[in-house]
Amino acid sequence: MGALIVLNAVLMGVQADFAARAVREGAEEPPFLRVMAQCFAAIFVLELALRLLGYGVGFFFMSGCSWNYFDLIVVTLQVFEEVTAIMAHSSQSTGFSFLRILRVLRLLRVLRLVRVLSTIQKLRTLVNSIGKTIPALLWTMVLLMLMIYTASICFTQVVADLAEGDPGSVAVGTAAHEYYGSVLGSMMSLYQAITGGLNWRTMSDSLLAQDSPLMALLLCLYVSFAVLAMLNVILLASRGARLDGAEHGRLEPLVSFLQASRVSHSTCPPLTCFIVNPEGGLKGK
């Protein structure tokens, strides 16, 4: 099934390439590509139906059922796309709403690429690790935004005070107005300074042009703290969560096997043949 998902992803790329050519050259998509897409949709529907029959209600509650829900949504969207495409090509009086729905479904087809993750254990482990780091990443972003907001107020206020005697220095089009003309503008400039979107040297030069070497020094300290200190915080916060996600990925195959097989304690000696390794994973007893 993993190979079929990869082939379907290749087919999606070919279809997107033909769509781009159709706009430039007026070429039409070959019929066999549409037939292949319909065949893939039929195969995925059959595979999903067999899984539903095999697992029964457990399909929705077993360990790792989130992937089952994802597969169900993706396959449903794929079938709906194919049905909409057939209706759009067979009807000569197709309305604009039909074409709009078809375009949206073609954008959503990229979700099928994520199905590759559900078939390869190593990729699932990586996804679990990334998912575990998201809460820590969100709180780190909140802390970072608070720091940027505080610094932007400081820089915006100082530049405004320095320009009281020379309003032309912060006129529209000047570097000071571009970087520190408003709180939102300062926030964007300070964020770009620590993410590579803007050279902070040019921001420092605009402060020096305002006869404010102290603020230029504070900008250097801000960039140093944000890049060095905040980076270490992000790495430390995500390391523990990443290890938890990797550990969950190691145990998931065993749990899924036991739940899918409905194995009881009396007929499942393997449960007593494994103990948790303190260093992670399982080892024989």
Side-chain angles (χ1 to χ4, degrees):
M1 184 54 63
L4 290 177
I5 295 175
V6 173
L7 290 177
N8 187 32
V10 174
L11 177 62
M12 289 165 51
V14 174
Q15 288 180 310
D17 187 68
F18 269 103
R21 292 183 182 180
V23 175
R24 299 191 308 268
E25 305 171 2
E28 294 185 359
E29 181 180 84
F32 75 90
L33 291 180
R34 175 54 53 188
V35 174
M36 291 179 62
Q38 294 172 358
C39 291
F40 277 118
I43 293 174
F44 292 147
V45 169
L46 178 61
E47 185 263 345
L48 185 62
L50 292 177
R51 287 165 59 189
L52 284 169
L53 291 175
Y55 291 119
V57 182
F59 178 87
F60 301 97
F61 304 102
M62 61 187 296
S63 177
C65 62
S66 57
W67 289 107
N68 295 339
Y69 284 107
F70 179 80
D71 288 343
L72 180 62
I73 294 173
V74 169
V75 173
T76 302
L77 289 175
Q78 185 173 4
V79 172
F80 188 56
E81 177 192 347
E82 297 301 330
V83 172
T84 305
I86 292 175
M87 295 177 64
H89 286 83
S90 62
S91 177
Q92 299 297 331
S93 60
T94 301
F96 181 72
S97 59
F98 252 127
L99 298 178
R100 181 184 300 175
I101 294 174
L102 185 59
R103 292 191 187 100
V104 173
L105 292 175
R106 285 176 176 173
L107 289 176
L108 293 178
R109 69 170 61 180
V110 297
L111 293 176
R112 302 178 205 166
L113 299 178
V114 187
R115 294 192 69 210
V116 179
L117 304 178
S118 64
T119 60
I120 303 177
Q121 179 58 35
K122 296 297 183 180
L123 293 180
R124 294 179 66 175
T125 301
L126 291 176
V127 172
N128 288 330
S129 300
I130 295 174
K132 291 292 184 179
T133 62
I134 289 179
L137 177 62
L138 291 178
W139 285 113
T140 304
M141 291 300 296
V142 171
L143 178 60
L144 183 62
M145 288 298 104
L146 287 175
M147 182 185 69
I148 292 176
Y149 178 68
T150 303
S152 65
I153 293 177
C154 176
F155 283 102
T156 303
Q157 186 63 54
V158 170
V159 170
D161 292 340
L162 292 174
E164 287 184 354
D166 185 14
S169 61
V170 291
V172 177
T174 61
H177 177 271
E178 180 182 357
Y179 300 138
Y180 312 106
S182 63
V183 174
L184 290 179
S186 298
M187 289 183 64
M188 179 60 69
S189 299
L190 293 174
Y191 176 75
Q192 291 176 326
I194 62 177
T195 55
L198 185 64
N199 190 347
W200 62 270
R201 173 65 184 271
T202 59
M203 297 176 60
S204 176
D205 291 341
S206 65
L207 292 173
L208 292 175
Q210 295 287 325
D211 295 329
S212 181
L214 179 60
M215 294 307 297
L217 177 60
L218 289 178
L219 177 64
C220 296
L221 294 177
Y222 158 80
V223 173
S224 299
F225 177 80
V227 172
L228 300 178
M230 291 299 296
L231 179 60
N232 288 330
V233 170
I234 294 174
L235 292 177
L236 291 176
S238 62
R239 183 176 182 274
R242 187 169 63 250
L243 292 177
D244 292 340
E247 183 66 20
H248 176 74
R250 295 192 190 100
L251 297 177
E252 185 179 356
L254 177 62
V255 176
S256 299
F257 173 77
L258 295 178
Q259 290 186 352
S261 303
R262 298 182 177 89
V263 182
S264 63
H265 176 71
S266 59
T267 61
C268 183
L271 277 177
T272 61
C273 297
F274 292 91
I275 61 175
V276 178
N277 186 354
E279 298 180 356
L282 301 175
K283 67 179 182 179
K285 185 175 180 181

